[in-house]
Amino acid sequence: MWQRGLNWAAIILVGVFGLMWLGVVIYADEASPLWMRIAEAVFGLFLAGWAVRRAVLMINKA
């Protein structure tokens, strides 16, 4: 039971971090070159996508 709760906590933490990362890259990071902003945005989308994928797997497992 604890393991499942910790898995959900990790999924939520990574998902929120990915979305916050994406927001900072899009709205606040104006000094970086465009290619770096694109790479950071892809990383943020990767984190959010990972969290969604893991959440779907956890729901289907139940």
Side-chain angles (χ1 to χ4, degrees), residues 19-54:
L19 292 177
M20 286 177 52
W21 182 277
L22 188 60
V24 168
V25 167
I26 290 174
Y27 294 110
D29 187 16
E30 296 176 356
S32 296
L34 180 61
W35 68 269
M36 177 147 327
R37 290 177 67 188
I38 291 171
E40 291 175 346
V42 168
F43 179 67
L45 289 172
F46 169 76
L47 290 176
W50 178 90
V52 169
R53 180 178 168 269
R54 292 299 300 177

